[in-house]
Amino acid sequence: MRTEDVLAATGTGIWTWDHAARQIILDATAARLLGLSPDAGRPVRAAESALRACFHVVDFVELNGIITLAVAEGRIAEAMMRVVDRDGSVLRTVRTRLKPRGDPGRGRDSAPFTLVGTVTEVAEPSEGQTQVTGDWRRSREAFLLDAGRALAEARSTSEVLRVAAALSMPGFSPDGLAVFGVDGDRLSVIGHHGHGEDGAELPFLDMPLETPYPAADVVRSGRAVYLTSPAEYQRRYPTTWPLAERFNRQSWAFLPLVVAGRTTGAWMAAFAQPAAFSPDERAVLTTVARMLAQALSRAYLHESERELADGLQRTMRPAGAPDVKGLTVAARYVPTGGGLQVGGDWYDVIPLPSGRTALVIGDVQGHDVRAAGIMSQLRIALRAYAAEGHRPEAVLSRASRFLAGMASSAAASAPDGEPVDDRFATCLYIEADPLLGTMDIARAGHLDPAVLLADGTLMLRPTAGGLPLGITPGPGLTGGGADGDYPTTRLVLEPGETLLVCTDGLIETGGHDAETGWARLREVLDRHRTANLEEIADELVRAVHGPPSHHTRGPLTDRREDDIALLLVRRGEKGVRPATARRTVLTISQADASRVADARHQLQAMLYDWGAAPADAESIPGAGAGPAGPHATEAAAAVDGAVLMLSEILTNVLIHTEDDALMVAEVTGQPGSRRLRVEVSDHSDELPHRRDPGELASSGRGLVLMDLLAGGWGVDPRGEGKVIWFEMREDAPP
C-alpha cells in the first residue's frame, strides 16, 4: 500500500511551503482542506498570497510567529488554523505540523529554507475552549507589556535580576531562575532566584563552556534547550544531572540571551510542575529572554558609563576630604543627569607656600567630555600658578592667558572649514588666612560668594570681578580677560561664620534666576541652621535634585541640566560668637560708587527679620523674606529708614572727601530687643555740619534725616579720620 493512499484514507494532506520562491505545493487532500480546488487529483501549485487568503488573518499572523520560533530553534512548528471562504466565514479548523529544511539556524530573513508538513481536519473547538484560549492570549499580552515596561525602567544589573525574579508568567510560572554570563571561555551565574539553601549554586558559579550542561550548550549553539522531565534531563546531560537533581524540579527551559546577533549568556527557568512547553509557552519564554538580554545590555552599558564618569571625576577632584587647619571645609560635586555624566564644574583646595590656603571653584562652558578635559587642564594650570606664590589676581590672569592659548592652538590645528569649539570658564579664586580669617577674592565672571552668619542668616558678599577666563578683551571691554586685570576683594570671616561658594547649577537649576535660586537656598539653610557642615552640603544639593530615590522624586529631579560644584568653609567652631550677632563689613571706593547699592542690599539682608515677634523668630525664612509679626508696617519703615541713612552717609563721604568709605554694620541682642549699629569711617578730618537747605535744594538734608530716623547718631574722631555712626533699637516706638 502506498503512503499517499494511507494518508488520503486518514484525511491527512501533505504540503510544501517554499519561502524563497513564495510558493506552496499541496497534494489533493491538502488542497481540499485549505479550500483550493484540486486539479484532477494532481498536486496544486499556488502563490503564498493564495495561502494567506485561505486562513483567518489572526491565525495566519500567529502561524508566522510560530514558524519564526521553530526556525530559530530547529523544531517542528504546530498550529491550529481556521480556514475561511471569500466572505470570511469559517469553513473548518485544521491542524498543521511543519518541519523546516535548508539552513534554518540562520533565520528566516537571512537564508532560504523550505517548510514540509502535514495538514489534517480537527473538530471545531467548543465555545468554552475558545474563550479560555482567548483569555490566555490576552493575559500573555498584558504580561509581556508589564514585563517589558519593568525591564526597560531597570537601571542596574541587580535591578534587572530583581525584576526578572518577580515575573509571574500567565498559565505557568517558574519557581527557579538563573542568569548565566560569559567571560571568555567561562560560564558563570550572575544572578539567581529560588534555589533554596545558601551555597547550593556554588557548582554553577564558574564552569568551562565545554561543560556538558544545558546553559553551556545554549551559549555554544545559540538555540534554546527545553527539558520536559527529569528523565529527559538525565538522558541528555548525564554528567551534570546530579547537580540539578537536588532542586527537585520537573521541567527546565534554557534560552539564549542575544544582543545584536551575539549570544551574551543564557537564562534558565525551572518549573516545579511538569511543563510541555507548547508553542505559545515557548513564544512567551523567548520574548522574555529577548527583553531580558536587552535590559542586561542597557544596565551593563549604564554601569560602565557611570564607572567611567566616576573614575574621571575622582581624578579631577582633590583626593580625600579637604583638611585645612583652622577651617572646616565641606565640598560636593554632582554631575548633570544626562549623557556620560561628566562636566566642566570643579573645586580645589590648594596649600600655598605662604602657609595660607587657596580655595578654587569654577565652571567650564558645557557639560560634556570636552568640557571635562579642558577643566582638568585648567585645574592643573591653576594649581601650578598658585604653587608659585602668585597673588589671586595674578593667578587668574595667567590662567586666562593659558585658556586663550589653548583655544588659539586648537584653531591653528583645525582643518580648514571646520568650526573651532572655543570654550571659556568662570572661576572664583580665594586666598584664605585661617588665623586672621581674611579672604582675598578674585573673581572671573563667576557668582559672588555668600556668607552664612553664626545665627543662620545668609548674606551675599558682592566682590569686584573681571571677564571669564579665556576671553580676550575687545574694544570697549575692560576688567579681566586674557590681558586684563582681576581686582581683589578682601572679606573677613568671623569665627563661627561660613563662606559658601558654588556654581550656577546650584542656583539656577529648574528655571530659577539668581534671586529666586538664592531664596531657595536661604529656606534650606534656615531649616537646618543647627546642622553640621556635611549635613548642610547634602541638604543644599537635595533641595535641587531631590532625594536620591526614584520612589520619592524631588521637585526638580527632571531638570538636572547643569553640574553642581559646592564649597562650604567655616572658620572655627560655631558658638564662638554669640548666636544673635550679625556683622558685615564693606569698602566703597571713590572709583566704584556703584557699590553704594551693594551696601544698601547688605543692610537690608541683615534686617530681614527686623520687627518680628520673638515667638516667630525661629519660623522666619532667610534673608529677603521681609519682617513678620503684628508691626510689619512699622518694622518695614524702620528698615527703609536705616537704608536711607546709610545711603546718605556713604554718598556724603564719596562727594565731600577724596577717600574711600568703610561700612561696618552689626546687629546684637535677642529677637525683639536687638540693636543695630552702623559705622562709616573715612580718612578725612572734615566733620559734617548741619545745613539749612532751601525748599528746592537737592541736598543738605542728611543730618536732618538722622535726627528724625535714628535712635542715636554721632561723629567720632578716630586716628586719621572720623567715624559717622547711627543706632536703632528694635523695640523702640515708631
Side-chain angles (χ1 to χ4, degrees), residues 499-512:
L499 183 71
L500 186 157
V501 292
C502 62
T503 56
D504 55 2
L506 188 68
I507 305 299
E508 299 177 359
T509 293
H512 285 271

Side-chain angles (χ1 to χ4, degrees), residues 97-416:
R97 304 179 81 242
L98 295 167
K99 174 68 176 179
R101 291 193 312 184
D103 188 12
R106 295 176 56 192
R108 295 184 61 197
D109 299 329
S110 58
F113 65 93
T114 302
L115 296 168
V116 178
T118 61
V119 57
T120 57
E121 183 175 2
V122 297
E124 186 70 22
S126 66
E127 182 178 354
Q129 291 173 327
T130 304
Q131 183 65 31
V132 169
T133 301
D135 289 343
W136 191 91
R137 288 175 178 171
R138 285 192 290 271
S139 299
R140 179 188 66 182
E141 293 169 358
F143 160 74
L144 292 177
L145 287 174
D146 291 340
R149 182 174 60 251
L151 289 172
E153 293 176 353
R155 299 297 301 276
S156 64
T157 300
S158 59
E159 196 169 347
V160 171
L161 297 176
R162 179 182 59 79
V163 171
L167 295 177
S168 179
M169 301 180 187
F172 70 116
S173 293
D175 65 339
L177 300 171
V179 176
F180 298 85
V182 179
D183 184 10
D185 60 349
R186 312 290 295 182
L187 184 73
S188 62
V189 176
I190 61 176
H192 63 89
H193 171 72
H195 287 85
E197 69 275 7
D198 294 338
E201 75 285 354
L202 289 178
F204 305 97
L205 289 182
D206 183 70
M207 63 179 69
L209 277 179
E210 293 77 14
T211 304
Y213 180 66
D217 195 6
V218 166
V219 172
R220 292 194 304 267
S221 65
R223 294 183 178 178
V225 172
Y226 296 100
L227 304 171
T228 57
S229 67
E232 183 180 4
Y233 196 129
Q234 185 176 12
R235 177 180 58 82
R236 295 180 60 181
Y237 301 96
T239 304
T240 54
W241 163 246
L243 300 177
E245 184 179 9
R246 75 181 78 175
F247 298 109
N248 298 320
R249 301 279 159 61
Q250 300 300 311
S251 301
W252 298 261
F254 293 83
L255 297 104
L257 300 176
V258 181
V259 178
R262 184 172 64 90
T263 302
T264 60
W267 174 49
M268 182 203 74
F271 300 83
Q273 302 297 327
F277 299 119
S278 67
D280 279 331
E281 292 171 344
R282 294 202 306 272
V284 170
L285 290 170
T286 301
T287 303
V288 172
R290 291 172 179 170
M291 292 189 298
L292 183 61
Q294 295 294 331
L296 286 171
S297 177
R298 288 193 302 269
Y300 176 75
L301 180 62
H302 176 76
E303 290 171 347
S304 299
E305 290 181 348
R306 189 54 186 262
E307 184 178 356
L308 173 61
D310 290 344
L312 283 173
Q313 296 298 341
R314 279 195 298 270
T315 61
M316 296 173 186
R317 295 197 300 270
D323 184 15
V324 182
K325 186 177 181 180
L327 297 177
T328 304
V329 181
R332 293 291 184 273
Y333 173 77
V334 182
T336 182
L340 193 58
Q341 294 196 337
V342 294
D345 292 21
W346 87 96
Y347 67 85
D348 210 346
V349 179
I350 308 169
L352 300 177
S354 62
R356 297 184 177 186
T357 300
L359 308 170
V360 186
I361 194 164
D363 182 2
V364 176
Q365 178 191 8
H367 38 82
D368 51 15
V369 175
R370 175 164 170 76
I374 295 175
M375 177 267 287
S376 63
Q377 298 178 72
L378 186 57
R379 174 174 171 262
I380 293 172
L382 277 164
R383 290 186 70 92
Y385 297 141
E388 292 176 353
H390 298 293
R391 292 285 299 161
E393 63 274 15
V395 172
L396 290 190
S397 182
R398 285 167 168 76
S400 185
R401 287 196 295 270
F402 172 80
L403 187 54
M406 288 179 56
S408 300
S409 299
S413 60
D416 294 339

Side-chain angles (χ1 to χ4, degrees), residues 67-86:
I67 290 174
T68 300
L69 185 62
V71 168
E73 299 177 356
R75 292 177 173 270
I76 294 177
E78 183 176 357
M80 301 277 287
M81 309 290 293
R82 288 171 290 179
V83 180
V84 298
D85 58 16
R86 294 180 179 274

Side-chain angles (χ1 to χ4, degrees), residues 605-691:
M606 288 187 66
L607 302 177
Y608 73 93
D609 58 350
W610 191 262
D616 299 334
E618 293 298 322
S619 61
I620 296 173
H631 305 293
T633 302
E634 291 83 354
V639 173
D640 291 341
V643 171
L644 177 59
M645 288 188 288
L646 173 63
S647 182
E648 284 288 336
I649 296 173
L650 291 175
T651 303
N652 285 335
V653 169
L654 296 181
I655 292 177
H656 299 293
T657 72
E658 297 180 356
D659 297 305
D660 298 339
L662 176 66
M663 178 200 76
V664 178
E666 189 171 37
V667 176
T668 56
Q670 297 296 327
S673 60
R674 290 173 290 189
R675 184 192 70 168
L676 166 68
R677 181 179 176 88
V678 178
E679 297 180 352
V680 177
S681 59
D682 61 76
H683 295 290
S684 174
D685 294 330
E686 183 179 352
L687 300 178
H689 56 276
R690 187 183 299 273
R691 298 168 58 188

